[in-house]
Protein backbone atom coordinates (compact mmCIF):
# COMPACT_ATOMS: atom_id res chain seq x y z
CA UNK A 1 0.00 0.00 0.00
CA UNK A 2 1.38 3.36 -1.00
CA UNK A 3 1.53 5.76 1.88
CA UNK A 4 3.01 9.19 1.46
CA UNK A 5 1.54 10.76 4.56
CA UNK A 6 3.57 13.39 6.43
CA UNK A 7 4.19 10.92 9.26
CA UNK A 8 7.37 9.95 7.47
CA UNK A 9 8.74 13.48 7.58
CA UNK A 10 12.02 13.83 9.36
CA UNK A 11 12.27 10.10 9.96
CA UNK A 12 16.00 10.31 9.59
CA UNK A 13 16.36 14.01 10.35
CA UNK A 14 17.39 14.61 6.74
CA UNK A 15 16.15 17.63 4.82
CA UNK A 16 16.82 19.18 1.43
CA UNK A 17 18.73 22.43 1.34
CA UNK A 18 19.82 24.61 -1.53
CA UNK A 19 21.26 27.84 -2.78
CA UNK A 20 19.62 30.01 -5.41
CA UNK A 21 20.99 32.65 -7.72
CA UNK A 22 20.00 34.41 -10.90
CA UNK A 23 22.54 33.98 -13.65
CA UNK A 24 23.25 36.00 -16.77
CA UNK A 25 25.85 35.89 -19.49
CA UNK A 26 28.63 37.02 -17.15
CA UNK A 27 27.79 34.48 -14.44
CA UNK A 28 25.93 35.54 -11.31
CA UNK A 29 23.57 38.45 -11.81
CA UNK A 30 21.79 38.36 -8.46
CA UNK A 31 22.49 36.17 -5.46
CA UNK A 32 22.18 36.46 -1.71
CA UNK A 33 25.25 38.73 -1.29
CA UNK A 34 24.27 41.12 -4.10
CA UNK A 35 20.74 41.44 -2.77
CA UNK A 36 22.08 42.28 0.68
CA UNK A 37 24.35 44.89 -0.94
CA UNK A 38 21.32 46.50 -2.60
CA UNK A 39 19.46 46.47 0.72
CA UNK A 40 22.39 48.12 2.48
CA UNK A 41 22.57 50.80 -0.25
CA UNK A 42 18.90 51.51 0.40
CA UNK A 43 19.59 51.64 4.14
CA UNK A 44 22.68 53.89 4.01
CA UNK A 45 22.07 55.89 0.83
CA UNK A 46 25.73 55.36 0.04
CA UNK A 47 27.65 52.70 -1.86
CA UNK A 48 30.76 53.33 0.26
CA UNK A 49 28.89 52.85 3.55
CA UNK A 50 26.98 49.87 2.21
CA UNK A 51 30.27 48.24 1.18
CA UNK A 52 31.90 49.05 4.54
CA UNK A 53 28.97 47.53 6.45
CA UNK A 54 29.61 44.29 4.59
CA UNK A 55 33.40 44.45 5.02
CA UNK A 56 33.66 44.69 1.25
CA UNK A 57 35.98 47.02 -0.66
CA UNK A 58 34.39 49.97 -2.44
CA UNK A 59 35.86 48.70 -5.71
CA UNK A 60 34.31 45.26 -5.25
CA UNK A 61 30.89 46.75 -4.44
CA UNK A 62 31.18 49.03 -7.47
CA UNK A 63 32.13 46.10 -9.70
CA UNK A 64 29.16 44.06 -8.44
CA UNK A 65 26.84 46.96 -9.15
CA UNK A 66 28.30 47.53 -12.63
CA UNK A 67 27.85 43.82 -13.35
CA UNK A 68 24.20 43.99 -12.25
CA UNK A 69 23.52 47.11 -14.32
CA UNK A 70 25.10 45.62 -17.44
CA UNK A 71 23.22 42.33 -17.16
CA UNK A 72 19.88 43.90 -16.27
CA UNK A 73 20.20 46.32 -19.18
CA UNK A 74 19.27 49.19 -16.87
CA UNK A 75 20.51 50.78 -13.66
CA UNK A 76 19.62 49.27 -10.30
CA UNK A 77 21.21 52.14 -8.39
CA UNK A 78 21.57 55.84 -9.20
CA UNK A 79 24.80 57.35 -7.91
CA UNK A 80 25.94 60.93 -7.66
CA UNK A 81 29.58 61.89 -7.24
CA UNK A 82 30.25 63.78 -4.05
CA UNK A 83 33.94 64.04 -3.30
CA UNK A 84 35.62 62.08 -0.52
CA UNK A 85 32.45 60.65 0.94
CA UNK A 86 31.73 58.87 -2.34
CA UNK A 87 28.47 60.68 -3.07
CA UNK A 88 24.94 59.47 -2.65
CA UNK A 89 23.29 56.34 -3.97
CA UNK A 90 19.67 55.34 -4.17
CA UNK A 91 17.86 52.38 -5.67
CA UNK A 92 15.94 52.75 -8.90
CA UNK A 93 12.56 51.09 -9.39
CA UNK A 94 14.46 48.23 -11.00
CA UNK A 95 16.76 47.96 -7.98
CA UNK A 96 13.78 47.77 -5.63
CA UNK A 97 12.15 45.24 -7.93
CA UNK A 98 15.31 43.09 -8.01
CA UNK A 99 15.22 42.82 -4.20
CA UNK A 100 11.51 42.02 -4.15
CA UNK A 101 11.76 39.49 -6.96
CA UNK A 102 14.76 37.73 -5.43
CA UNK A 103 13.09 37.21 -2.05
CA UNK A 104 9.81 36.24 -3.71
CA UNK A 105 11.49 33.48 -5.74
CA UNK A 106 13.68 32.60 -2.77
CA UNK A 107 10.53 31.96 -0.69
CA UNK A 108 9.08 29.80 -3.49
CA UNK A 109 12.40 27.95 -3.64
CA UNK A 110 12.35 27.30 0.12
CA UNK A 111 8.77 26.01 -0.17
CA UNK A 112 9.87 23.56 -2.85
CA UNK A 113 12.71 22.32 -0.64
CA UNK A 114 10.22 21.77 2.20
CA UNK A 115 7.85 19.90 -0.11
CA UNK A 116 10.74 17.76 -1.26
CA UNK A 117 11.73 17.06 2.35
CA UNK A 118 8.17 16.07 3.25
CA UNK A 119 8.25 13.41 0.52
CA UNK A 120 11.62 12.02 1.54
CA UNK A 121 10.68 9.83 4.53
CA UNK A 122 10.74 6.37 3.06
CA UNK A 123 13.69 6.56 0.75
CA UNK A 124 16.49 5.45 3.06
CA UNK A 125 17.12 2.33 5.12
CA UNK A 126 13.97 0.59 3.97
CA UNK A 127 15.60 -2.80 4.42
CA UNK A 128 16.00 -3.79 8.10
CA UNK A 129 18.90 -6.05 7.12
CA UNK A 130 20.95 -3.00 6.27
CA UNK A 131 20.70 -1.32 9.65
CA UNK A 132 23.96 -0.47 11.36
CA UNK B 1 -4.54 41.26 -18.34
CA UNK B 2 -2.36 38.63 -16.74
CA UNK B 3 -0.09 36.97 -19.20
CA UNK B 4 2.46 34.40 -18.09
CA UNK B 5 3.12 32.89 -21.50
CA UNK B 6 6.60 31.58 -22.27
CA UNK B 7 7.16 34.43 -24.73
CA UNK B 8 8.79 36.33 -21.90
CA UNK B 9 11.41 33.67 -21.30
CA UNK B 10 14.96 34.78 -21.66
CA UNK B 11 14.07 38.39 -22.38
CA UNK B 12 17.16 39.52 -20.52
CA UNK B 13 19.10 36.27 -20.83
CA UNK B 14 18.73 35.77 -17.08
CA UNK B 15 17.93 32.39 -15.60
CA UNK B 16 17.65 30.90 -12.14
CA UNK B 17 20.34 28.47 -11.05
CA UNK B 18 20.83 26.59 -7.84
CA UNK B 19 22.66 23.95 -5.88
CA UNK B 20 20.92 21.16 -4.00
CA UNK B 21 22.05 18.96 -1.14
CA UNK B 22 20.51 16.75 1.49
CA UNK B 23 21.42 17.82 4.99
CA UNK B 24 21.43 15.93 8.28
CA UNK B 25 22.50 16.71 11.81
CA UNK B 26 26.20 16.75 10.87
CA UNK B 27 25.71 19.04 7.89
CA UNK B 28 25.76 17.67 4.36
CA UNK B 29 24.53 14.09 4.07
CA UNK B 30 24.33 13.83 0.29
CA UNK B 31 25.40 16.34 -2.33
CA UNK B 32 26.76 16.25 -5.83
CA UNK B 33 30.29 15.16 -4.82
CA UNK B 34 29.12 12.40 -2.50
CA UNK B 35 26.76 11.00 -5.11
CA UNK B 36 29.56 10.89 -7.65
CA UNK B 37 31.73 9.09 -5.06
CA UNK B 38 29.00 6.45 -4.65
CA UNK B 39 28.76 6.09 -8.43
CA UNK B 40 32.52 5.65 -8.72
CA UNK B 41 32.46 3.00 -5.96
CA UNK B 42 29.83 1.16 -7.99
CA UNK B 43 31.98 1.52 -11.10
CA UNK B 44 35.30 0.43 -9.58
CA UNK B 45 34.16 -1.87 -6.76
CA UNK B 46 36.80 -0.21 -4.60
CA UNK B 47 36.77 2.79 -2.30
CA UNK B 48 40.47 3.43 -2.94
CA UNK B 49 40.06 3.45 -6.71
CA UNK B 50 36.90 5.53 -6.50
CA UNK B 51 38.74 8.10 -4.36
CA UNK B 52 41.74 8.12 -6.70
CA UNK B 53 39.52 8.69 -9.74
CA UNK B 54 38.23 11.84 -8.04
CA UNK B 55 41.68 12.98 -6.88
CA UNK B 56 40.46 12.57 -3.31
CA UNK B 57 42.45 11.01 -0.47
CA UNK B 58 41.36 7.58 0.74
CA UNK B 59 40.88 9.04 4.22
CA UNK B 60 38.59 11.79 2.92
CA UNK B 61 36.50 9.31 0.92
CA UNK B 62 36.30 7.04 3.96
CA UNK B 63 35.21 9.97 6.17
CA UNK B 64 32.51 10.96 3.66
CA UNK B 65 31.24 7.40 3.59
CA UNK B 66 31.26 7.12 7.40
CA UNK B 67 29.33 10.40 7.60
CA UNK B 68 26.73 9.09 5.13
CA UNK B 69 26.37 5.78 6.99
CA UNK B 70 25.93 7.48 10.36
CA UNK B 71 23.37 9.97 9.11
CA UNK B 72 21.41 7.43 7.07
CA UNK B 73 21.32 5.05 10.01
CA UNK B 74 22.41 2.23 7.76
CA UNK B 75 25.27 1.38 5.45
CA UNK B 76 25.39 2.74 1.90
CA UNK B 77 28.48 0.70 1.02
CA UNK B 78 29.68 -2.69 2.18
CA UNK B 79 33.46 -2.94 2.42
CA UNK B 80 35.71 -5.90 2.93
CA UNK B 81 39.31 -5.58 4.10
CA UNK B 82 41.79 -6.88 1.63
CA UNK B 83 45.34 -5.87 2.46
CA UNK B 84 47.24 -3.27 0.45
CA UNK B 85 44.64 -2.88 -2.28
CA UNK B 86 42.08 -1.68 0.25
CA UNK B 87 39.64 -4.54 -0.25
CA UNK B 88 36.39 -4.52 -2.15
CA UNK B 89 33.43 -2.23 -1.84
CA UNK B 90 29.93 -2.51 -3.19
CA UNK B 91 26.80 -0.45 -2.80
CA UNK B 92 23.98 -1.70 -0.60
CA UNK B 93 20.34 -1.30 -1.64
CA UNK B 94 20.36 1.92 0.38
CA UNK B 95 23.46 3.15 -1.46
CA UNK B 96 21.79 2.50 -4.81
CA UNK B 97 18.64 4.16 -3.57
CA UNK B 98 20.58 7.23 -2.40
CA UNK B 99 21.95 7.74 -5.92
CA UNK B 100 18.54 7.24 -7.52
CA UNK B 101 16.78 9.51 -5.03
CA UNK B 102 19.36 12.27 -5.35
CA UNK B 103 19.11 12.46 -9.14
CA UNK B 104 15.33 12.14 -9.01
CA UNK B 105 15.03 15.15 -6.69
CA UNK B 106 17.79 16.93 -8.58
CA UNK B 107 15.73 16.61 -11.78
CA UNK B 108 12.64 17.96 -10.01
CA UNK B 109 14.79 20.79 -8.66
CA UNK B 110 16.05 21.66 -12.14
CA UNK B 111 12.45 21.65 -13.42
CA UNK B 112 11.47 24.14 -10.70
CA UNK B 113 14.38 26.41 -11.67
CA UNK B 114 13.21 26.29 -15.30
CA UNK B 115 9.64 27.08 -14.30
CA UNK B 116 10.91 30.00 -12.24
CA UNK B 117 12.97 31.24 -15.18
CA UNK B 118 9.96 31.04 -17.51
CA UNK B 119 8.05 33.36 -15.18
CA UNK B 120 10.86 35.86 -14.86
CA UNK B 121 10.59 37.81 -18.10
CA UNK B 122 8.85 40.95 -17.03
CA UNK B 123 10.46 41.64 -13.70
CA UNK B 124 13.43 43.80 -14.75
CA UNK B 125 13.74 47.08 -16.60
CA UNK B 126 10.01 47.58 -16.95
CA UNK B 127 10.43 51.34 -16.96
CA UNK B 128 11.93 52.66 -20.23
CA UNK B 129 13.22 55.69 -18.33
CA UNK B 130 15.65 53.47 -16.51
CA UNK B 131 17.39 52.07 -19.54
CA UNK B 132 21.15 52.50 -19.72
Amino acid sequence: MKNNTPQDKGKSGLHWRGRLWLEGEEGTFLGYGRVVLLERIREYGSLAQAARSMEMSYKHAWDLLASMNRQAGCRLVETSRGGKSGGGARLTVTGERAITVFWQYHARFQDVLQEMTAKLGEVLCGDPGEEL
Side-chain angles (χ1 to χ4, degrees), chain A:
Chain A
M1 194 167 59
K2 261 192 140 176
N3 187 351
N4 284 325
T5 56
Q7 73 195 24
D8 298 320
K9 186 181 172 181
K11 183 181 176 184
S12 53
L14 297 174
H15 54 279
W16 290 105
R17 289 199 61 187
R19 255 170 54 77
L20 179 71
W21 65 95
L22 194 51
E23 197 160 297
E25 290 174 7
E26 291 184 20
T28 302
F29 164 62
L30 200 63
Y32 185 84
R34 290 172 183 224
V35 168
V36 171
L37 176 63
L38 292 175
E39 289 178 334
R40 296 288 172 92
I41 290 170
R42 178 169 59 191
E43 185 181 350
Y44 294 107
S46 153
L47 183 57
Q49 282 185 50
R52 208 175 303 132
S53 79
M54 295 177 74
E55 300 185 356
M56 184 186 282
S57 75
Y58 182 78
K59 183 190 179 321
H60 187 55
W62 177 266
D63 288 345
L64 291 180
L65 203 51
S67 161
M68 287 189 267
N69 287 340
R70 270 195 309 275
Q71 293 186 84
C74 58
R75 291 191 182 86
L76 281 74
V77 174
E78 279 180 357
T79 52
S80 55
R81 295 178 184 279
K84 267 191 180 173
S85 68
R90 64 171 197 80
L91 300 188
T92 63
V93 172
T94 298
E96 293 286 357
R97 201 184 289 129
I99 294 173
T100 305
V101 164
F102 183 82
W103 291 123
Q104 178 190 325
Y105 280 80
H106 189 266
R108 162 82 183 121
F109 177 75
Q110 294 298 327
D111 286 348
V112 169
L113 294 175
Q114 282 206 358
E115 288 163 23
M116 285 168 53
T117 296
K119 288 181 186 161
L120 189 68
E122 293 181 82
V123 298
L124 294 171
C125 307
D127 184 348
E130 292 178 334
E131 283 181 10
L132 289 174

